[in-house]
Amino acid sequence: MIAPDPSPRTASHDGPGPDDGDSPGDHAAAKRRFLRDAAASVRDTDHRAFVRRALGGYYATRDAQKARYRDWEQARDAASLAKWSAVNRLDELLPRFEAAFTANGGVIHWARDADEARRIVLDLLRAVRARAVIKSKCMTSEEIHLNAAMEADGYGVVESDLGEFIQQLRGEPPYHFVFPCMHVRRGEISDLFTRHLGSPPTDDPEELTMIARRHMRRLYVEADVGITGANFLVAETGQISITENEGNARLTAGLPRVHIAIAGIEKVVERLDDLAVLLPMLATAGTGQPLTCYNTLYSGPRRAGECDGPEEMHVVLLDNRRSAILADPEQRDSLHCIRCGACLNVCPIFKNVGGFTYGTTYQGPIGSVITPHLRGLADWNHLSGASSLCGACTDACPVRIDIHHHLLHNRRNAARTAPNRWERLGHRLFAAVATRPWLFALAGRIGRFTLPVARWLRPPLLAQWLESRDLPAAPRHSFRSQWRSRRRGA
Amino acid sequence: MTNPPAGARSARDTILARVREALALPAPRPHLHHHAAEAVTAPGALPILAAETARPWLPDGGDTPAERMNILVENLGKLRAVVHRLPDMTAAAELVFALARERDWRRVAWHRHPLVEPLLAGLPCATHCVDASAVPPGDGSAKDALESCDAGITACDALVAQTGSILVSSATCGGRGLSVLPHVHVVIATHDQVVGTLGDALDDARQRHAGRWPSMLSFITGPSRTGDIERILVLGAHGPRELIVAIVG
């Protein structure tokens, strides 16, 4: 078992709110933590510069790769349609996937929530007398906090994806759901490996990668159970599709005698042909590749005549409030997400506040859209406010999710369910003033008079706003009086 | 095989009931920005786009065998795979012999296949050959045997020009471990295995396996890689560091 570095994030990362429902009590705790962490990240200019530099290469390769599409925009339409028609027929496609996968010799498990999913996996581990578990990258397992549950039951669990392995050693959740340790400098990784694996210090990313590779090789061979995620579930053929670059998912699904995959119910697509569009677009949008290094379809356990592969294969289908998103026709398309991470990579908020500030399994714009549904609007509504609504996320999305409008929808829904009395009073006051010309003129006069005083006095209500901004100088005359005098002059 | 735990049945029913209830309210059709809308099936029906419709929008896979070969070789090069175009199997055997001698390969893994077997005859005597297809399934030593190999030689189901990918399957290419455990992966293919696009390769696979899918089908696109450390590209993360593709004919 790996003992991670002590980290304050392990315990407090997820803030309030169980992952399977609304939490009673202090709804503002997550928001307070967000504001505190965001302020700290924004001031850490080294960190921001480092993250920007790390993403710099992504923009160049992604653009070069997009240029190879004969029509990227229409390809986005095709990808969007493939997901639209699948998500809107989940009731038909989920049983179809189940039947086809079962016919291939696999076993399907249904999990209503995180707790049920964890119990299913732990029961499976017990049933197959597992000792060592190897995992490849799986965000649904992060969502249900599977590692902690397995470790509490005494299983040794190792993350095999290099980035996830580094995060596991650091005792931190992923910083970015595609690039888990993009915030970590190579020197820190070298120290980490020296401490945990006893390797000599090095500054070379290649050598660091080889240290992890050598460490992991024995673990693949010795593990009894491999746990993976799934990027797509093909209803037509009963196959699951896993996208990766390192080969660690191939080894995780190939060598242990039991393979368990955990997937959200929204991962179903209807036809194998849909992957001809979705796989290249996932790679191009996510990492700027033509296709990631390994795109693998698994239909079940080892077949007669095949020389290796697991004896058992299980797929855990996880709802965990995805059906609540499905029940909202306006935001249903947020279930189209293929988790490419493109919206994070282009988001000015993500680049400035950093991945940990969100405090969610899914960071960035798409995380801000779906987390309020998955874990309660009252606790996570503030994420929808953390957006400039610039729309870069919507432009980047390969399946055309209208992300920034959904952030607006969340804000509206939050205002409906828990109206802010002060905000409402403010708007009423403004309406009362703005609809009475004499009052508007008077308010303007007062404003022109008090603005210079406010600049100097910095009253408490304005102080926070003024930390990073200057109040404009007050004009001598109101717009209306300028308008009148100019018309007279002309 | 474990039985589904008690209560799983009701979880299934609950989730499907939630899904059905949720879908009772229809979602607005997606905003399509281009001509894709015209390709949609009958009005009122759910929009379904034929996969063939999307093909002209994706990266080019070439229209003629010569074009496809050019695109494939170019893409493999960009992916840092090494390509050898060879006139015949004799040349392929010579290539493998030269590689084994030059790199001092001690152990080479292979599987029974008409394209792979002729290559072994020429291997240097010092090189031990591990037949991945001969190890009894479930034998733990098989993984160790494969893991310790310097190179794995496999056939493939198809080569995809559009993406520079090699399609291998657990049924036809020596199982799951052979193409990913040894440090170097040598692929032996014939020129007529080159297809244009990913869609063509999937069609092909559907016909070849006709309803009985191998437990694994994998598109391999270049040697194993990672960018997890400061987004800097490193080859050979967990799978092979080198991918050598020999195309005969």
Side-chain angles (χ1 to χ4, degrees):
Chain A
M1 195 174 305
I2 291 182
D5 286 354
S7 159
R9 291 198 198 277
T10 339
S12 67
H13 166 65
D14 278 310
D19 29 32
D20 32 20
D22 286 341
S23 75
D26 187 2
H27 287 315
K31 180 180 177 179
R32 277 199 305 274
R33 210 188 45 81
F34 180 91
L35 290 174
R36 188 193 66 212
D37 291 359
S41 293
V42 165
R43 286 199 189 93
D44 188 348
T45 45
D46 280 355
H47 177 85
R48 281 161 57 195
F50 182 75
V51 168
R52 272 161 201 272
R53 203 167 40 245
L55 287 173
Y58 161 80
Y59 302 130
T61 49
R62 178 203 57 186
D63 291 345
Q65 207 47 244
K66 268 163 77 169
R68 292 190 56 238
Y69 284 69
R70 284 170 287 179
D71 193 331
W72 172 255
E73 293 305 325
Q74 292 210 64
R76 285 177 78 200
D77 284 346
S80 161
L81 269 180
K83 286 296 290 188
W84 193 91
S85 65
V87 164
N88 283 283
R89 284 188 302 150
L90 270 188
D91 52 342
E92 170 200 337
L93 297 184
L94 280 168
R96 251 177 89 187
F97 170 74
E98 180 187 38
F101 181 71
T102 310
N104 294 335
V107 182
I108 295 276
H109 306 263
W110 301 76
R112 282 166 286 208
D113 53 35
D115 185 52
E116 190 162 29
R118 284 190 297 262
R119 263 189 291 118
I120 289 168
V121 175
L122 292 175
D123 286 347
L124 282 173
L125 294 186
R126 212 164 299 130
V128 303
R129 294 201 172 74
R131 284 153 308 163
V133 178
I134 192 131
K135 281 182 70 199
S136 70
K137 197 164 164 32
C138 172
M139 289 313 294
T140 42
S141 86
E142 299 282 340
E143 180 184 329
I144 64 172
H145 306 293
L146 183 61
N147 284 10
M150 290 194 291
E151 280 164 4
D153 265 21
Y155 298 105
V157 183
V158 180
E159 292 286 348
S160 60
D161 174 84
L162 178 59
E164 293 281 347
F165 178 61
I166 290 168
Q167 288 309 93
Q168 188 184 23
L169 291 182
R170 287 170 64 87
E172 281 178 345
Y175 180 90
H176 176 302
F177 62 72
V178 176
F179 311 140
C181 69
M182 65 175 291
H183 64 301
V184 188
R185 289 166 171 78
R186 59 183 89 175
E188 298 173 79
I189 297 169
S190 169
D191 291 348
L192 193 72
F193 284 180
T194 305
R195 226 169 27 248
H196 289 276
L197 313 177
S199 57
T202 170
D203 237 6
D204 180 10
E206 181 164 352
E207 253 177 75
L208 287 168
T209 305
M210 292 311 135
I211 291 166
R213 176 190 170 106
R214 281 193 296 271
H215 174 74
M216 214 67 81
R217 285 246 147 189
R218 292 295 331 148
L219 302 176
Y220 290 119
V221 173
E222 285 160 10
D224 314 281
V225 175
I227 298 182
T228 69
N231 296 85
F232 302 100
L233 311 169
V234 185
E236 174 198 3
T237 57
Q239 292 164 312
I240 72 167
S241 172
I242 301 180
T243 288
E244 53 144 348
N245 266 312
E246 297 181 358
N248 62 311
R250 281 282 309 269
L251 292 164
T252 301
L255 302 189
R257 60 191 161 84
V258 178
H259 174 197
I260 304 172
I262 307 168
I265 52 172
E266 84 284 14
K267 294 288 177 205
V268 181
V269 294
E270 186 186 6
R271 299 162 307 171
L272 191 57
D273 283 349
D274 292 330
L275 299 187
V277 179
L278 290 167
L279 294 178
M281 297 200 62
L282 171 60
T284 301
T287 54
Q289 292 175 275
L291 202 60
T292 60
C293 197
Y294 298 97
N295 282 276
T296 311
L297 291 156
Y298 296 99
S299 59
R302 180 181 67 80
R303 291 218 140 192
E306 292 179 357
C307 57
D308 59 4
E311 297 153 24
E312 292 178 31
M313 181 174 172
H314 301 265
V315 169
V316 181
L317 294 173
L318 178 69
D319 180 351
N320 209 24
R321 296 179 65 89
R322 283 163 174 77
S323 51
I325 306 182
L326 198 68
D328 179 354
E330 187 177 55
Q331 298 204 19
R332 189 175 293 162
D333 74 348
S334 60
L335 291 176
H336 297 186
C337 177
I338 55 174
R339 303 281 187 267
C340 67
C343 59
L344 280 67
N345 299 343
V346 299
C347 178
I349 306 297
F350 177 85
K351 282 185 277 189
N352 285 308
V353 305
F356 288 140
T357 301
Y358 291 88
T360 56
T361 307
Y362 306 103
Q363 310 82 8
I366 189 65
S368 301
V369 171
I370 62 175
T371 305
H373 289 276
L374 298 178
R375 294 168 61 184
L377 189 61
D379 283 322
W380 300 97
N381 155 49
H382 60 279
L383 296 178
S384 306
S387 167
S388 61
L389 300 177
C390 67
C393 46
T394 304
D395 279 348
C397 181
V399 291
R400 287 203 195 284
I401 301 171
D402 200 353
I403 301 173
H404 71 294
H405 281 108
H406 289 330
L407 293 173
L408 272 175
H409 297 148
N410 276 348
R411 292 184 194 183
R412 181 203 59 205
N413 295 345
R416 271 190 199 151
T417 50
N420 181 329
R421 239 177 282 156
W422 292 108
E423 224 172 78
R424 190 176 271 187
L425 185 70
H427 280 287
R428 256 190 219 154
L429 220 62
F430 175 78
V433 173
T435 50
R436 292 174 178 80
W438 65 272
L439 200 55
F440 193 80
L442 180 67
R445 196 163 298 170
I446 297 171
R448 280 195 301 284
F449 174 70
T450 49
L451 207 56
V453 187
R455 279 174 80 172
W456 178 67
L457 264 181
R458 304 173 80 85
L461 262 175
L462 274 178
Q464 201 187 355
W465 196 80
L466 287 173
E467 266 176 35
S468 54
R469 301 173 186 86
D470 283 327
L471 273 179
R476 289 257 284 292
H477 305 285
S478 74
F479 176 81
R480 294 201 305 171
S481 71
Q482 286 183 49
W483 181 262
R484 268 197 302 270
S485 66
R486 282 190 197 190
R487 282 188 70 168
R488 265 201 300 275
Chain B
M1 187 118 333
T2 47
N3 292 316
R9 180 82 204 153
S10 68
R12 178 187 192 274
D13 290 348
T14 314
I15 293 172
L16 286 175
R18 285 177 188 166
V19 166
R20 267 190 298 273
E21 196 183 330
L23 290 175
L25 283 173
R29 287 164 73 112
H31 298 289
L32 298 181
H33 296 227
H34 296 272
H35 317 301
E38 296 158 18
V40 160
T41 49
L46 289 167
I48 295 173
L49 198 64
E52 311 79 65
T53 319
R55 268 178 215 194
W57 306 332
L58 298 172
D60 193 11
D63 295 324
T64 65
E67 266 176 43
R68 287 196 278 272
M69 183 64 83
N70 284 340
I71 296 172
L72 174 76
V73 170
E74 192 194 327
N75 280 336
L76 281 168
K78 282 189 196 151
L79 293 161
R80 311 230 208 148
V82 178
V83 193
H84 296 274
R85 302 275 326 264
L86 303 166
D88 51 30
M89 284 306 289
T90 319
E94 279 166 14
L95 169 74
V96 172
F97 175 78
L99 283 167
R101 254 242 304 247
E102 186 188 309
R103 316 231 183 146
D104 196 20
W105 284 346
R106 300 281 158 175
R107 292 161 63 82
V108 170
W110 62 289
H111 67 106
R112 285 179 203 156
H113 189 280
L115 281 177
V116 177
E117 278 158 79
L119 304 179
L120 304 172
L123 278 175
C125 320
T127 311
H128 177 69
C129 294
V130 179
D131 179 358
S133 36
V135 192
D139 181 353
S141 66
K143 302 179 209 169
D144 283 316
L146 274 185
E147 203 279 321
S148 62
C149 283
D150 301 294
I153 307 177
T154 75
C156 68
D157 278 7
L159 297 162
V160 187
Q162 181 189 40
T163 53
S165 308
I166 293 137
L167 176 61
V168 298
S169 93
S170 51
T172 52
C173 307
R176 297 194 186 190
L178 179 56
S179 53
V180 77
L181 262 176
H183 301 254
V184 179
H185 181 196
V186 181
V187 179
I188 172 87
T190 54
H191 68 101
D192 53 1
Q193 287 186 297
V194 181
V195 299
T197 65
L198 212 54
D200 296 334
L202 290 172
D203 284 350
D204 230 43
R206 195 194 295 275
Q207 279 168 23
R208 179 176 304 109
H209 301 294
R212 194 186 142 80
W213 291 102
S215 72
M216 184 206 78
L217 278 170
S218 189
F219 289 94
I220 301 175
T221 310
S224 156
R225 61 195 57 209
T226 185
D228 273 344
I229 301 174
E230 297 190 10
R231 309 289 324 127
I232 294 164
L233 176 69
V234 175
L235 298 184
H238 292 280
R241 297 179 70 170
E242 282 179 80
L243 177 63
I244 299 169
V245 187
I247 307 171
V248 175

